[in-house]
Amino acid sequence: MTDERRVTRRLVVDPQSPSAKVISAAAVILREGGLVAFPTETVYGLGAHALIPSAVKKLFAAKGRPAHNPIIVHVANAKAARALVTDWPATAERLARAFWPGPLTMLLPKREIVPDVVTATKPTVGVRVPAHPVALALLEMARIPVAAPSANRSSKLSPTAGHHVLAGLNGRIDVLLDAGRTPGGIESTVVDLTGPRPTILRPGLISAAEVARVTGPLGERAAAVSADLPLDSPGMMERHYAPRARLELCSRRQMPTRVIAEHKRPVGAVLLGEPLDLPPEVQVSVLPGDPRQYAALLYATLHELDDAGCRTVVVESVPEQEEWDAVRDRLKRAATE
Ligand code: TXA
Ligand code: MG
């Protein structure tokens, strides 16, 4: 059998008021088991009909995603989320009211209709109502739950612009709904609601403090897992969210010596808040000192440094404060060899 490469159709849509005609074309493709990349308020997702196992299998193949890594199911509203789970605790209702549509994914016990391929045979399913107008319009039009991981090849940087999606997946998916940049820039917060206390499995755009304000005290996340163990949330997989260049973290003070000593050139440097005097051959990006604004630009910056041919990217360490948790988490994973 030949591995027939398909052509990916890029459909440009307005991020605020997407054309109903374009959205409906994409919705039909999803309903028929095709693969559609679409913007969310965090990063681009790669969607497949969550209740058709063969469609979800195609999605794993397109991404090169290991079968043990479960996929978040996106729905248009909390009612549609409830239809996928066997339990809807008061905490889930409160979190949904506080943060949906928005960058929060809740893990709850799954109903039988959710195929094992979506949840990697886990008894739980991750559900989320995204806030991007294009994502919501697509989900409302398709009227199906849509399994959607980030629209990148497995373990690579998540896409925050249409061209990032095509760079990894052109020819491997049916449609890209291209609405330009995604505003949030890093992925949703994943909170597990199946234990005695809500537990953050992946820090994200909604901080642990914001979740705790709604739910009360949070449980402790399991300590670092070894790559051989079954994973609670494979976002915990060690190397993840990584650019092609080798990424290293270092303090602002050490930055000049660090970039000068680097043999693997060209070298890129990502600074926090303020510029710094560095050799002219270093490709420098200065990101904002505010964690949300930093998150919004992080992946796009790393994509740019990759595209500029950098073999090493040295990133200034970010503060230890909780509001930086999600950014620190992504940087740490990207830096893992
Ligand atoms: O912002 C986001 O969450 C983006 C957009 C597209 O919605 N999606 C995203 O999906 O980042 P993905 O597949 O790249 O990351 C989903 C994370 C992974 O760490 C996965 O292991 C975890 O959520 N996850 C999903 N379902 C799970 C489940 N049933 N149990 C444990 N972890 C789960
Ligand atoms: Mg991902």
Side-chain angles (χ1 to χ4, degrees):
M1 217 170 71
T2 52
D3 176 22
E4 208 180 299
R5 279 178 75 90
R6 292 166 299 170
V7 176
T8 297
R9 275 164 67 204
R10 172 172 171 263
L11 304 176
V12 175
V13 283
D14 185 287
Q16 292 313 320
S17 49
S19 133
K21 209 169 134 204
V22 171
I23 297 295
S24 119
V28 169
I29 290 168
L30 277 179
R31 290 182 66 90
E32 290 175 348
L35 301 182
V36 174
F38 59 94
T40 78
E41 77 281 30
T42 61
V43 301
Y44 275 79
L46 177 58
H49 193 319
L51 306 183
I52 304 183
S54 61
V56 180
K57 283 185 191 140
K58 273 198 297 189
L59 195 164
F60 275 89
K63 272 186 67 94
R65 185 177 179 101
H68 62 72
N69 194 355
I71 296 186
I72 297 171
V73 179
H74 296 65
V75 285
N77 50 51
K79 186 166 171 238
R82 292 179 71 156
L84 300 173
V85 301
T86 57
D87 187 26
W88 185 256
T91 330
E93 181 63 27
R94 283 204 298 274
L95 286 171
R97 283 175 193 266
F99 298 117
W100 279 357
L104 183 80
T105 298
M106 298 194 232
L107 296 190
L108 288 160
K110 82 173 188 79
R111 282 202 200 184
E112 226 164 281
I113 49 159
V114 180
D116 277 343
V117 58
V118 170
T119 63
T121 72
K122 281 170 178 294
T124 56
V125 61
V127 286
R128 146 161 148 82
V129 178
H132 197 293
V134 173
L136 274 180
L138 181 65
L139 292 165
E140 276 159 12
M141 192 82 91
R143 300 209 320 278
I144 49 167
V146 173
S150 51
N152 50 281
R153 300 279 297 185
S154 186
S155 89
K156 300 288 194 248
L157 280 180
S158 296
T160 56
H163 69 272
H164 300 155
V165 176
L166 291 182
L169 297 175
N170 196 11
R172 308 180 73 92
I173 63 176
D174 297 296
V175 168
L176 160 65
L177 289 176
D178 191 339
R181 288 264 160 113
T182 56
I186 59 174
E187 302 82 353
S188 64
T189 305
V190 178
V191 56
D192 183 354
L193 296 183
T194 62
R197 282 183 173 183
T199 306
I200 308 272
L201 295 187
R202 179 177 71 182
L205 286 176
I206 294 174
S207 73
E210 287 173 289
V211 172
R213 226 173 282 141
V214 173
T215 65
L218 302 177
E220 280 293 309
R221 175 169 130 172
V225 280
S226 123
D228 305 334
L229 291 173
L231 300 159
D232 264 2
S233 182
M236 289 185 189
M237 263 192 305
E238 291 191 337
R239 188 178 160 87
H240 218 98
Y241 312 110
R244 287 192 300 276
R246 200 188 58 217
L247 188 147
E248 288 190 19
L249 295 167
C250 97
S251 68
R252 185 171 189 85
R253 200 168 48 78
Q254 290 167 329
M255 180 69 76
T257 351
R258 182 69 204 74
V259 294
I260 289 164
E262 180 56 49
H263 299 298
K264 274 198 162 175
R265 293 174 169 270
V267 181
V270 179
L271 301 173
L272 176 64
E274 312 260 326
L276 186 65
D277 213 7
L278 292 174
E281 70 274 16
V282 177
Q283 178 108 8
V284 181
S285 286
V286 182
L287 290 184
D290 166 79
R292 279 177 195 272
Q293 291 171 21
Y294 186 109
L297 297 173
L298 175 63
Y299 290 154
T301 301
L302 296 177
H303 277 290
E304 274 163 24
L305 294 172
D306 258 352
D307 294 344
C310 290
R311 288 173 70 212
T312 306
V313 173
V314 187
V315 180
E316 179 176 345
S317 307
V318 298
E320 286 298 319
Q321 292 138 10
E322 194 200 77
E323 50 181 10
W324 287 92
D325 275 359
V327 163
R328 216 180 323 99
D329 170 82
R330 301 309 187 276
L331 288 175
K332 214 172 72 198
R333 285 178 213 292
T336 307
E337 303 247 354

